Amino acid sequence: MRILVVEDDPRLQALIARGLREESYAVDTVENGHEAITQAAVNSYDAIVLDVMLPGLDGLQVVQRLRERRIHTPVLMLTARDTVADRIAGLDAGADDYLVKPFDFGELLARLRALLRRPEAVQPMRVQVADLEIDMQAHSVHRSGVALTLTAKEYALLELLARHAGHVVSRADIVAHVWDDNHDPFSNAVEVYVNRLRGKIDREPFTPLLHTRRGAGYILTDTPPV
């Protein structure tokens, strides 16, 4: 999952970004509203964490312009303003949720998880493919009841594939949702991480579940590709 953090306070921005990366999210950061609109227009984000008090365009103006451009990425607004009128203004502007500063990081994570379950249809927090189980709230993975240890990037890749189990996920979609702006598009990082992940979830004696569809992408399925 790829998140855009829009926060002009360098310390808070760094804290949020570091915490999200530790939870296996890919994170891009910007400091003002104009950059936020540009980034949201060119990248496919799963959610945006948006401060209200920004230089230039404020958070309310940013979310209004995003919605005007038909960018419907879920937005979690952060603000020190805690009156009912302020919360109403944020939601009416097009935000999906509202979190008052100072906040507990655990609550921010919980609200993000709730937003990420909303698009298209409510998504389950636990996915099972054959004997592979992925708990997306606990960030735990088991195969035949045995706990598997994955790195943050390996887990993020597996979660994306699990959310689309049975369907091919292209390399471009993987880059868009698992890596941030620092990713070198000419590197073989996707292939490297797919191989590392396959070595953990498909090691013997397990039946292979992660398959390559040459020229199309990768698919997590218990049905062998034809």
Side-chain angles (χ1 to χ4, degrees), residues 48 50-53 59-60 63 75-101 103 107-108 111-112 115 118:
I48 298 172
L50 175 64
D51 186 27
V52 171
M53 300 299 292
L60 296 179
V63 74
V75 173
L76 172 60
M77 300 197 80
L78 305 179
T79 181
R81 300 172 176 174
D82 60 355
T83 68
V84 173
D86 290 324
R87 292 195 293 273
I88 291 173
L91 296 171
D92 282 347
D96 297 272
D97 200 359
Y98 201 95
L99 187 58
V100 177
K101 300 177 182 179
F103 54 84
E107 182 178 3
L108 183 145
R111 288 176 180 269
L112 273 180
L115 290 181
R118 290 184 189 178

PDB file of all heavy atoms in Angstrom, residues 48 50-53 59-60 63 75-101 103 107-108 111-112 115 118:
ATOM      1  N   ILE A  48      -4.224   9.202   1.456  1.00  0.00           N
ATOM      2  CA  ILE A  48      -3.467  10.436   1.662  1.00  0.00           C
ATOM      3  C   ILE A  48      -3.683  10.897   3.098  1.00  0.00           C
ATOM      4  O   ILE A  48      -4.830  10.977   3.562  1.00  0.00           O
ATOM      5  CB  ILE A  48      -3.926  11.549   0.696  1.00  0.00           C
ATOM      6  CG1 ILE A  48      -3.687  11.126  -0.757  1.00  0.00           C
ATOM      7  CG2 ILE A  48      -3.198  12.863   0.990  1.00  0.00           C
ATOM      8  CD1 ILE A  48      -4.278  12.084  -1.780  1.00  0.00           C
ATOM      9  N   LEU A  50      -3.323  14.086   5.228  1.00  0.00           N
ATOM     10  CA  LEU A  50      -3.257  15.495   4.816  1.00  0.00           C
ATOM     11  C   LEU A  50      -3.444  16.431   6.004  1.00  0.00           C
ATOM     12  O   LEU A  50      -4.500  16.435   6.641  1.00  0.00           O
ATOM     13  CB  LEU A  50      -4.349  15.748   3.767  1.00  0.00           C
ATOM     14  CG  LEU A  50      -4.563  17.175   3.271  1.00  0.00           C
ATOM     15  CD1 LEU A  50      -3.330  17.679   2.526  1.00  0.00           C
ATOM     16  CD2 LEU A  50      -5.792  17.235   2.365  1.00  0.00           C
ATOM     17  N   ASP A  51      -2.431  17.253   6.263  1.00  0.00           N
ATOM     18  CA  ASP A  51      -2.542  18.276   7.307  1.00  0.00           C
ATOM     19  C   ASP A  51      -3.435  19.412   6.812  1.00  0.00           C
ATOM     20  O   ASP A  51      -3.419  19.757   5.623  1.00  0.00           O
ATOM     21  CB  ASP A  51      -1.146  18.809   7.653  1.00  0.00           C
ATOM     22  CG  ASP A  51      -1.168  19.767   8.825  1.00  0.00           C
ATOM     23  OD1 ASP A  51      -2.076  19.642   9.674  1.00  0.00           O
ATOM     24  OD2 ASP A  51      -0.293  20.651   8.889  1.00  0.00           O
ATOM     25  N   VAL A  52      -4.211  19.991   7.692  1.00  0.00           N
ATOM     26  CA  VAL A  52      -5.082  21.104   7.308  1.00  0.00           C
ATOM     27  C   VAL A  52      -4.295  22.395   7.156  1.00  0.00           C
ATOM     28  O   VAL A  52      -4.450  23.138   6.183  1.00  0.00           O
ATOM     29  CB  VAL A  52      -6.220  21.291   8.336  1.00  0.00           C
ATOM     30  CG1 VAL A  52      -6.988  22.582   8.050  1.00  0.00           C
ATOM     31  CG2 VAL A  52      -7.174  20.108   8.300  1.00  0.00           C
ATOM     32  N   MET A  53      -3.421  22.698   8.120  1.00  0.00           N
ATOM     33  CA  MET A  53      -2.690  23.967   8.128  1.00  0.00           C
ATOM     34  C   MET A  53      -1.408  23.826   7.307  1.00  0.00           C
ATOM     35  O   MET A  53      -0.373  23.392   7.792  1.00  0.00           O
ATOM     36  CB  MET A  53      -2.365  24.370   9.561  1.00  0.00           C
ATOM     37  CG  MET A  53      -3.587  24.553  10.435  1.00  0.00           C
ATOM     38  SD  MET A  53      -4.701  25.853   9.828  1.00  0.00           S
ATOM     39  CE  MET A  53      -3.680  27.300  10.106  1.00  0.00           C
ATOM     40  N   GLY A  59      -5.244  22.467   3.648  1.00  0.00           N
ATOM     41  CA  GLY A  59      -5.730  21.116   3.432  1.00  0.00           C
ATOM     42  C   GLY A  59      -7.137  21.061   2.872  1.00  0.00           C
ATOM     43  O   GLY A  59      -7.451  20.195   2.038  1.00  0.00           O
ATOM     44  N   LEU A  60      -7.999  21.974   3.299  1.00  0.00           N
ATOM     45  CA  LEU A  60      -9.373  21.997   2.791  1.00  0.00           C
ATOM     46  C   LEU A  60      -9.390  22.294   1.290  1.00  0.00           C
ATOM     47  O   LEU A  60     -10.127  21.659   0.527  1.00  0.00           O
ATOM     48  CB  LEU A  60     -10.200  23.039   3.538  1.00  0.00           C
ATOM     49  CG  LEU A  60     -10.406  22.808   5.035  1.00  0.00           C
ATOM     50  CD1 LEU A  60     -11.232  23.951   5.629  1.00  0.00           C
ATOM     51  CD2 LEU A  60     -11.096  21.475   5.295  1.00  0.00           C
ATOM     52  N   VAL A  63      -8.047  19.121  -0.701  1.00  0.00           N
ATOM     53  CA  VAL A  63      -8.987  18.021  -0.892  1.00  0.00           C
ATOM     54  C   VAL A  63     -10.119  18.425  -1.838  1.00  0.00           C
ATOM     55  O   VAL A  63     -10.601  17.615  -2.647  1.00  0.00           O
ATOM     56  CB  VAL A  63      -9.522  17.507   0.460  1.00  0.00           C
ATOM     57  CG1 VAL A  63     -10.521  18.454   1.082  1.00  0.00           C
ATOM     58  CG2 VAL A  63     -10.135  16.119   0.305  1.00  0.00           C
ATOM     59  N   VAL A  75      -8.851  10.252   1.966  1.00  0.00           N
ATOM     60  CA  VAL A  75      -8.058  11.288   2.628  1.00  0.00           C
ATOM     61  C   VAL A  75      -8.345  11.298   4.122  1.00  0.00           C
ATOM     62  O   VAL A  75      -9.505  11.407   4.538  1.00  0.00           O
ATOM     63  CB  VAL A  75      -8.365  12.682   2.044  1.00  0.00           C
ATOM     64  CG1 VAL A  75      -7.671  13.778   2.861  1.00  0.00           C
ATOM     65  CG2 VAL A  75      -7.934  12.761   0.577  1.00  0.00           C
ATOM     66  N   LEU A  76      -7.277  11.176   4.907  1.00  0.00           N
ATOM     67  CA  LEU A  76      -7.349  11.335   6.356  1.00  0.00           C
ATOM     68  C   LEU A  76      -6.739  12.690   6.688  1.00  0.00           C
ATOM     69  O   LEU A  76      -5.550  12.910   6.482  1.00  0.00           O
ATOM     70  CB  LEU A  76      -6.579  10.218   7.062  1.00  0.00           C
ATOM     71  CG  LEU A  76      -6.414  10.356   8.578  1.00  0.00           C
ATOM     72  CD1 LEU A  76      -7.766  10.402   9.286  1.00  0.00           C
ATOM     73  CD2 LEU A  76      -5.555   9.220   9.127  1.00  0.00           C
ATOM     74  N   MET A  77      -7.551  13.610   7.210  1.00  0.00           N
ATOM     75  CA  MET A  77      -7.074  14.951   7.521  1.00  0.00           C
ATOM     76  C   MET A  77      -6.563  15.027   8.955  1.00  0.00           C
ATOM     77  O   MET A  77      -7.174  14.463   9.873  1.00  0.00           O
ATOM     78  CB  MET A  77      -8.183  15.984   7.306  1.00  0.00           C
ATOM     79  CG  MET A  77      -8.693  16.032   5.891  1.00  0.00           C
ATOM     80  SD  MET A  77      -9.635  17.544   5.517  1.00  0.00           S
ATOM     81  CE  MET A  77      -8.298  18.700   5.237  1.00  0.00           C
ATOM     82  N   LEU A  78      -5.449  15.741   9.133  1.00  0.00           N
ATOM     83  CA  LEU A  78      -4.866  15.970  10.446  1.00  0.00           C
ATOM     84  C   LEU A  78      -4.978  17.452  10.782  1.00  0.00           C
ATOM     85  O   LEU A  78      -4.658  18.294   9.937  1.00  0.00           O
ATOM     86  CB  LEU A  78      -3.385  15.568  10.458  1.00  0.00           C
ATOM     87  CG  LEU A  78      -3.030  14.148  10.028  1.00  0.00           C
ATOM     88  CD1 LEU A  78      -1.520  13.961  10.091  1.00  0.00           C
ATOM     89  CD2 LEU A  78      -3.735  13.123  10.903  1.00  0.00           C
ATOM     90  N   THR A  79      -5.408  17.759  11.990  1.00  0.00           N
ATOM     91  CA  THR A  79      -5.527  19.174  12.350  1.00  0.00           C
ATOM     92  C   THR A  79      -5.505  19.369  13.853  1.00  0.00           C
ATOM     93  O   THR A  79      -5.856  18.460  14.618  1.00  0.00           O
ATOM     94  CB  THR A  79      -6.837  19.761  11.794  1.00  0.00           C
ATOM     95  OG1 THR A  79      -6.917  21.148  12.135  1.00  0.00           O
ATOM     96  CG2 THR A  79      -8.045  19.045  12.364  1.00  0.00           C
ATOM     97  N   ALA A  80      -5.089  20.551  14.267  1.00  0.00           N
ATOM     98  CA  ALA A  80      -5.147  20.926  15.679  1.00  0.00           C
ATOM     99  C   ALA A  80      -6.508  21.509  16.026  1.00  0.00           C
ATOM    100  O   ALA A  80      -6.811  21.738  17.201  1.00  0.00           O
ATOM    101  CB  ALA A  80      -4.047  21.935  15.992  1.00  0.00           C
ATOM    102  N   ARG A  81      -7.326  21.773  15.024  1.00  0.00           N
ATOM    103  CA  ARG A  81      -8.659  22.321  15.250  1.00  0.00           C
ATOM    104  C   ARG A  81      -9.616  21.190  15.611  1.00  0.00           C
ATOM    105  O   ARG A  81      -9.781  20.253  14.847  1.00  0.00           O
ATOM    106  CB  ARG A  81      -9.153  23.029  13.991  1.00  0.00           C
ATOM    107  CG  ARG A  81      -8.274  24.187  13.536  1.00  0.00           C
ATOM    108  CD  ARG A  81      -8.737  24.688  12.175  1.00  0.00           C
ATOM    109  NE  ARG A  81      -7.992  25.854  11.735  1.00  0.00           N
ATOM    110  CZ  ARG A  81      -8.134  26.398  10.522  1.00  0.00           C
ATOM    111  NH1 ARG A  81      -8.989  25.876   9.665  1.00  0.00           N
ATOM    112  NH2 ARG A  81      -7.419  27.453  10.187  1.00  0.00           N
ATOM    113  N   ASP A  82     -10.263  21.310  16.764  1.00  0.00           N
ATOM    114  CA  ASP A  82     -11.066  20.182  17.236  1.00  0.00           C
ATOM    115  C   ASP A  82     -12.533  20.530  17.475  1.00  0.00           C
ATOM    116  O   ASP A  82     -13.246  19.801  18.153  1.00  0.00           O
ATOM    117  CB  ASP A  82     -10.463  19.600  18.517  1.00  0.00           C
ATOM    118  CG  ASP A  82     -10.399  20.611  19.648  1.00  0.00           C
ATOM    119  OD1 ASP A  82     -10.729  21.783  19.405  1.00  0.00           O
ATOM    120  OD2 ASP A  82     -10.017  20.214  20.770  1.00  0.00           O
ATOM    121  N   THR A  83     -13.002  21.654  16.899  1.00  0.00           N
ATOM    122  CA  THR A  83     -14.410  21.982  17.073  1.00  0.00           C
ATOM    123  C   THR A  83     -15.256  21.168  16.093  1.00  0.00           C
ATOM    124  O   THR A  83     -14.774  20.694  15.058  1.00  0.00           O
ATOM    125  CB  THR A  83     -14.675  23.474  16.842  1.00  0.00           C
ATOM    126  OG1 THR A  83     -14.476  23.774  15.452  1.00  0.00           O
ATOM    127  CG2 THR A  83     -13.742  24.331  17.688  1.00  0.00           C
ATOM    128  N   VAL A  84     -16.522  21.028  16.408  1.00  0.00           N
ATOM    129  CA  VAL A  84     -17.428  20.309  15.520  1.00  0.00           C
ATOM    130  C   VAL A  84     -17.483  20.979  14.154  1.00  0.00           C
ATOM    131  O   VAL A  84     -17.485  20.314  13.111  1.00  0.00           O
ATOM    132  CB  VAL A  84     -18.836  20.225  16.147  1.00  0.00           C
ATOM    133  CG1 VAL A  84     -19.827  19.636  15.158  1.00  0.00           C
ATOM    134  CG2 VAL A  84     -18.798  19.389  17.422  1.00  0.00           C
ATOM    135  N   ALA A  85     -17.521  22.331  14.155  1.00  0.00           N
ATOM    136  CA  ALA A  85     -17.586  23.069  12.893  1.00  0.00           C
ATOM    137  C   ALA A  85     -16.374  22.772  12.012  1.00  0.00           C
ATOM    138  O   ALA A  85     -16.501  22.641  10.784  1.00  0.00           O
ATOM    139  CB  ALA A  85     -17.676  24.566  13.170  1.00  0.00           C
ATOM    140  N   ASP A  86     -15.184  22.652  12.620  1.00  0.00           N
ATOM    141  CA  ASP A  86     -13.980  22.353  11.853  1.00  0.00           C
ATOM    142  C   ASP A  86     -14.050  20.955  11.255  1.00  0.00           C
ATOM    143  O   ASP A  86     -13.670  20.733  10.098  1.00  0.00           O
ATOM    144  CB  ASP A  86     -12.739  22.470  12.740  1.00  0.00           C
ATOM    145  CG  ASP A  86     -12.422  23.907  13.122  1.00  0.00           C
ATOM    146  OD1 ASP A  86     -12.633  24.792  12.274  1.00  0.00           O
ATOM    147  OD2 ASP A  86     -12.002  24.136  14.267  1.00  0.00           O
ATOM    148  N   ARG A  87     -14.530  19.988  12.039  1.00  0.00           N
ATOM    149  CA  ARG A  87     -14.644  18.627  11.535  1.00  0.00           C
ATOM    150  C   ARG A  87     -15.647  18.558  10.390  1.00  0.00           C
ATOM    151  O   ARG A  87     -15.420  17.877   9.388  1.00  0.00           O
ATOM    152  CB  ARG A  87     -15.037  17.673  12.664  1.00  0.00           C
ATOM    153  CG  ARG A  87     -13.940  17.491  13.711  1.00  0.00           C
ATOM    154  CD  ARG A  87     -14.203  16.293  14.583  1.00  0.00           C
ATOM    155  NE  ARG A  87     -15.383  16.445  15.429  1.00  0.00           N
ATOM    156  CZ  ARG A  87     -15.366  17.009  16.628  1.00  0.00           C
ATOM    157  NH1 ARG A  87     -14.231  17.485  17.114  1.00  0.00           N
ATOM    158  NH2 ARG A  87     -16.464  17.093  17.355  1.00  0.00           N
ATOM    159  N   ILE A  88     -16.754  19.272  10.531  1.00  0.00           N
ATOM    160  CA  ILE A  88     -17.763  19.300   9.473  1.00  0.00           C
ATOM    161  C   ILE A  88     -17.177  19.903   8.201  1.00  0.00           C
ATOM    162  O   ILE A  88     -17.403  19.404   7.086  1.00  0.00           O
ATOM    163  CB  ILE A  88     -19.006  20.076   9.924  1.00  0.00           C
ATOM    164  CG1 ILE A  88     -19.744  19.293  11.024  1.00  0.00           C
ATOM    165  CG2 ILE A  88     -19.939  20.353   8.750  1.00  0.00           C
ATOM    166  CD1 ILE A  88     -20.886  20.060  11.654  1.00  0.00           C
ATOM    167  N   ALA A  89     -16.418  20.991   8.362  1.00  0.00           N
ATOM    168  CA  ALA A  89     -15.817  21.649   7.202  1.00  0.00           C
ATOM    169  C   ALA A  89     -14.881  20.697   6.460  1.00  0.00           C
ATOM    170  O   ALA A  89     -14.879  20.650   5.223  1.00  0.00           O
ATOM    171  CB  ALA A  89     -15.057  22.896   7.642  1.00  0.00           C
ATOM    172  N   GLY A  90     -14.095  19.940   7.207  1.00  0.00           N
ATOM    173  CA  GLY A  90     -13.171  18.994   6.580  1.00  0.00           C
ATOM    174  C   GLY A  90     -13.899  17.895   5.829  1.00  0.00           C
ATOM    175  O   GLY A  90     -13.558  17.563   4.689  1.00  0.00           O
ATOM    176  N   LEU A  91     -14.928  17.347   6.452  1.00  0.00           N
ATOM    177  CA  LEU A  91     -15.684  16.270   5.803  1.00  0.00           C
ATOM    178  C   LEU A  91     -16.464  16.794   4.603  1.00  0.00           C
ATOM    179  O   LEU A  91     -16.554  16.125   3.565  1.00  0.00           O
ATOM    180  CB  LEU A  91     -16.617  15.613   6.820  1.00  0.00           C
ATOM    181  CG  LEU A  91     -15.907  14.902   7.979  1.00  0.00           C
ATOM    182  CD1 LEU A  91     -16.919  14.473   9.037  1.00  0.00           C
ATOM    183  CD2 LEU A  91     -15.122  13.693   7.478  1.00  0.00           C
ATOM    184  N   ASP A  92     -17.026  17.984   4.733  1.00  0.00           N
ATOM    185  CA  ASP A  92     -17.775  18.566   3.619  1.00  0.00           C
ATOM    186  C   ASP A  92     -16.861  18.901   2.438  1.00  0.00           C
ATOM    187  O   ASP A  92     -17.293  18.902   1.286  1.00  0.00           O
ATOM    188  CB  ASP A  92     -18.512  19.832   4.068  1.00  0.00           C
ATOM    189  CG  ASP A  92     -19.777  19.526   4.860  1.00  0.00           C
ATOM    190  OD1 ASP A  92     -20.204  18.343   4.845  1.00  0.00           O
ATOM    191  OD2 ASP A  92     -20.335  20.447   5.482  1.00  0.00           O
ATOM    192  N   ALA A  93     -15.605  19.189   2.742  1.00  0.00           N
ATOM    193  CA  ALA A  93     -14.657  19.504   1.665  1.00  0.00           C
ATOM    194  C   ALA A  93     -14.323  18.276   0.829  1.00  0.00           C
ATOM    195  O   ALA A  93     -13.856  18.390  -0.302  1.00  0.00           O
ATOM    196  CB  ALA A  93     -13.378  20.101   2.245  1.00  0.00           C
ATOM    197  N   GLY A  94     -14.569  17.092   1.389  1.00  0.00           N
ATOM    198  CA  GLY A  94     -14.302  15.864   0.649  1.00  0.00           C
ATOM    199  C   GLY A  94     -13.402  14.890   1.369  1.00  0.00           C
ATOM    200  O   GLY A  94     -13.074  13.827   0.821  1.00  0.00           O
ATOM    201  N   ALA A  95     -12.983  15.214   2.605  1.00  0.00           N
ATOM    202  CA  ALA A  95     -12.154  14.278   3.376  1.00  0.00           C
ATOM    203  C   ALA A  95     -12.995  13.079   3.792  1.00  0.00           C
ATOM    204  O   ALA A  95     -14.220  13.154   3.919  1.00  0.00           O
ATOM    205  CB  ALA A  95     -11.575  14.973   4.600  1.00  0.00           C
ATOM    206  N   ASP A  96     -12.321  11.951   4.003  1.00  0.00           N
ATOM    207  CA  ASP A  96     -13.008  10.730   4.409  1.00  0.00           C
ATOM    208  C   ASP A  96     -12.974  10.509   5.915  1.00  0.00           C
ATOM    209  O   ASP A  96     -13.836   9.826   6.459  1.00  0.00           O
ATOM    210  CB  ASP A  96     -12.366   9.530   3.709  1.00  0.00           C
ATOM    211  CG  ASP A  96     -12.512   9.617   2.201  1.00  0.00           C
ATOM    212  OD1 ASP A  96     -13.532   9.141   1.673  1.00  0.00           O
ATOM    213  OD2 ASP A  96     -11.604  10.181   1.547  1.00  0.00           O
ATOM    214  N   ASP A  97     -11.975  11.082   6.574  1.00  0.00           N
ATOM    215  CA  ASP A  97     -11.882  10.956   8.030  1.00  0.00           C
ATOM    216  C   ASP A  97     -11.061  12.120   8.548  1.00  0.00           C
ATOM    217  O   ASP A  97     -10.405  12.838   7.790  1.00  0.00           O
ATOM    218  CB  ASP A  97     -11.251   9.613   8.417  1.00  0.00           C
ATOM    219  CG  ASP A  97     -11.562   9.210   9.855  1.00  0.00           C
ATOM    220  OD1 ASP A  97     -12.249   9.971  10.561  1.00  0.00           O
ATOM    221  OD2 ASP A  97     -11.110   8.126  10.265  1.00  0.00           O
ATOM    222  N   TYR A  98     -11.080  12.284   9.877  1.00  0.00           N
ATOM    223  CA  TYR A  98     -10.553  13.492  10.506  1.00  0.00           C
ATOM    224  C   TYR A  98      -9.906  13.077  11.818  1.00  0.00           C
ATOM    225  O   TYR A  98     -10.537  12.407  12.625  1.00  0.00           O
ATOM    226  CB  TYR A  98     -11.743  14.417  10.762  1.00  0.00           C
ATOM    227  CG  TYR A  98     -11.447  15.883  10.938  1.00  0.00           C
ATOM    228  CD1 TYR A  98     -11.542  16.756   9.851  1.00  0.00           C
ATOM    229  CD2 TYR A  98     -11.108  16.413  12.169  1.00  0.00           C
ATOM    230  CE1 TYR A  98     -11.316  18.112  10.004  1.00  0.00           C
ATOM    231  CE2 TYR A  98     -10.871  17.763  12.335  1.00  0.00           C
ATOM    232  CZ  TYR A  98     -10.970  18.609  11.244  1.00  0.00           C
ATOM    233  OH  TYR A  98     -10.742  19.947  11.401  1.00  0.00           O
ATOM    234  N   LEU A  99      -8.635  13.446  12.011  1.00  0.00           N
ATOM    235  CA  LEU A  99      -7.917  13.078  13.228  1.00  0.00           C
ATOM    236  C   LEU A  99      -7.309  14.330  13.842  1.00  0.00           C
ATOM    237  O   LEU A  99      -6.600  15.083  13.165  1.00  0.00           O
ATOM    238  CB  LEU A  99      -6.824  12.059  12.916  1.00  0.00           C
ATOM    239  CG  LEU A  99      -6.070  11.442  14.087  1.00  0.00           C
ATOM    240  CD1 LEU A  99      -7.024  10.737  15.056  1.00  0.00           C
ATOM    241  CD2 LEU A  99      -5.018  10.458  13.574  1.00  0.00           C
ATOM    242  N   VAL A 100      -7.595  14.561  15.118  1.00  0.00           N
ATOM    243  CA  VAL A 100      -7.161  15.779  15.800  1.00  0.00           C
ATOM    244  C   VAL A 100      -5.783  15.569  16.433  1.00  0.00           C
ATOM    245  O   VAL A 100      -5.526  14.550  17.069  1.00  0.00           O
ATOM    246  CB  VAL A 100      -8.188  16.194  16.878  1.00  0.00           C
ATOM    247  CG1 VAL A 100      -7.695  17.418  17.648  1.00  0.00           C
ATOM    248  CG2 VAL A 100      -9.541  16.484  16.226  1.00  0.00           C
ATOM    249  N   LYS A 101      -4.903  16.562  16.256  1.00  0.00           N
ATOM    250  CA  LYS A 101      -3.590  16.563  16.902  1.00  0.00           C
ATOM    251  C   LYS A 101      -3.734  17.057  18.343  1.00  0.00           C
ATOM    252  O   LYS A 101      -4.559  17.927  18.616  1.00  0.00           O
ATOM    253  CB  LYS A 101      -2.627  17.499  16.158  1.00  0.00           C
ATOM    254  CG  LYS A 101      -2.364  17.163  14.712  1.00  0.00           C
ATOM    255  CD  LYS A 101      -1.451  18.230  14.105  1.00  0.00           C
ATOM    256  CE  LYS A 101      -1.175  18.010  12.655  1.00  0.00           C
ATOM    257  NZ  LYS A 101      -0.317  19.050  12.063  1.00  0.00           N
ATOM    258  N   PHE A 103      -2.218  13.144  18.361  1.00  0.00           N
ATOM    259  CA  PHE A 103      -2.917  11.876  18.212  1.00  0.00           C
ATOM    260  C   PHE A 103      -1.970  10.723  18.550  1.00  0.00           C
ATOM    261  O   PHE A 103      -0.747  10.870  18.535  1.00  0.00           O
ATOM    262  CB  PHE A 103      -3.440  11.716  16.784  1.00  0.00           C
ATOM    263  CG  PHE A 103      -2.375  11.889  15.727  1.00  0.00           C
ATOM    264  CD1 PHE A 103      -1.552  10.840  15.351  1.00  0.00           C
ATOM    265  CD2 PHE A 103      -2.207  13.122  15.109  1.00  0.00           C
ATOM    266  CE1 PHE A 103      -0.575  11.004  14.388  1.00  0.00           C
ATOM    267  CE2 PHE A 103      -1.229  13.307  14.132  1.00  0.00           C
ATOM    268  CZ  PHE A 103      -0.415  12.243  13.777  1.00  0.00           C
ATOM    269  N   GLU A 107      -3.867   5.018  16.649  1.00  0.00           N
ATOM    270  CA  GLU A 107      -5.169   5.420  16.130  1.00  0.00           C
ATOM    271  C   GLU A 107      -5.055   5.828  14.670  1.00  0.00           C
ATOM    272  O   GLU A 107      -5.951   5.526  13.859  1.00  0.00           O
ATOM    273  CB  GLU A 107      -5.748   6.575  16.949  1.00  0.00           C
ATOM    274  CG  GLU A 107      -7.138   6.989  16.471  1.00  0.00           C
ATOM    275  CD  GLU A 107      -7.769   8.104  17.274  1.00  0.00           C
ATOM    276  OE1 GLU A 107      -7.104   8.621  18.209  1.00  0.00           O
ATOM    277  OE2 GLU A 107      -8.924   8.463  16.974  1.00  0.00           O
ATOM    278  N   LEU A 108      -3.975   6.519  14.308  1.00  0.00           N
ATOM    279  CA  LEU A 108      -3.782   6.875  12.909  1.00  0.00           C
ATOM    280  C   LEU A 108      -3.745   5.616  12.047  1.00  0.00           C
ATOM    281  O   LEU A 108      -4.374   5.552  10.985  1.00  0.00           O
ATOM    282  CB  LEU A 108      -2.495   7.678  12.736  1.00  0.00           C
ATOM    283  CG  LEU A 108      -2.204   8.196  11.312  1.00  0.00           C
ATOM    284  CD1 LEU A 108      -1.529   9.555  11.362  1.00  0.00           C
ATOM    285  CD2 LEU A 108      -1.319   7.222  10.528  1.00  0.00           C
ATOM    286  N   ARG A 111      -7.267   4.128  11.717  1.00  0.00           N
ATOM    287  CA  ARG A 111      -8.120   4.904  10.813  1.00  0.00           C
ATOM    288  C   ARG A 111      -7.706   4.687   9.354  1.00  0.00           C
ATOM    289  O   ARG A 111      -8.559   4.621   8.461  1.00  0.00           O
ATOM    290  CB  ARG A 111      -8.073   6.382  11.182  1.00  0.00           C
ATOM    291  CG  ARG A 111      -8.812   6.696  12.484  1.00  0.00           C
ATOM    292  CD  ARG A 111      -8.675   8.160  12.873  1.00  0.00           C
ATOM    293  NE  ARG A 111      -9.384   8.448  14.108  1.00  0.00           N
ATOM    294  CZ  ARG A 111     -10.655   8.856  14.176  1.00  0.00           C
ATOM    295  NH1 ARG A 111     -11.358   9.000  13.063  1.00  0.00           N
ATOM    296  NH2 ARG A 111     -11.214   9.118  15.340  1.00  0.00           N
ATOM    297  N   LEU A 112      -6.405   4.565   9.102  1.00  0.00           N
ATOM    298  CA  LEU A 112      -5.940   4.271   7.751  1.00  0.00           C
ATOM    299  C   LEU A 112      -6.427   2.900   7.301  1.00  0.00           C
ATOM    300  O   LEU A 112      -6.876   2.738   6.161  1.00  0.00           O
ATOM    301  CB  LEU A 112      -4.413   4.340   7.680  1.00  0.00           C
ATOM    302  CG  LEU A 112      -3.783   5.702   7.412  1.00  0.00           C
ATOM    303  CD1 LEU A 112      -2.275   5.576   7.388  1.00  0.00           C
ATOM    304  CD2 LEU A 112      -4.279   6.293   6.099  1.00  0.00           C
ATOM    305  N   LEU A 115      -9.948   3.188   6.264  1.00  0.00           N
ATOM    306  CA  LEU A 115     -10.097   3.830   4.958  1.00  0.00           C
ATOM    307  C   LEU A 115      -9.715   2.895   3.823  1.00  0.00           C
ATOM    308  O   LEU A 115     -10.363   2.877   2.766  1.00  0.00           O
ATOM    309  CB  LEU A 115      -9.237   5.093   4.885  1.00  0.00           C
ATOM    310  CG  LEU A 115      -9.669   6.293   5.733  1.00  0.00           C
ATOM    311  CD1 LEU A 115      -8.715   7.461   5.501  1.00  0.00           C
ATOM    312  CD2 LEU A 115     -11.095   6.709   5.398  1.00  0.00           C
ATOM    313  N   ARG A 118     -12.363   0.561   2.494  1.00  0.00           N
ATOM    314  CA  ARG A 118     -13.583   1.114   1.913  1.00  0.00           C
ATOM    315  C   ARG A 118     -13.704   1.020   0.397  1.00  0.00           C
ATOM    316  O   ARG A 118     -14.794   0.810  -0.097  1.00  0.00           O
ATOM    317  CB  ARG A 118     -13.736   2.591   2.306  1.00  0.00           C
ATOM    318  CG  ARG A 118     -14.047   2.795   3.769  1.00  0.00           C
ATOM    319  CD  ARG A 118     -14.264   4.265   4.044  1.00  0.00           C
ATOM    320  NE  ARG A 118     -14.366   4.535   5.473  1.00  0.00           N
ATOM    321  CZ  ARG A 118     -14.516   5.733   5.985  1.00  0.00           C
ATOM    322  NH1 ARG A 118     -14.584   6.778   5.191  1.00  0.00           N
ATOM    323  NH2 ARG A 118     -14.594   5.910   7.295  1.00  0.00           N
TER     324      ARG A 118
END
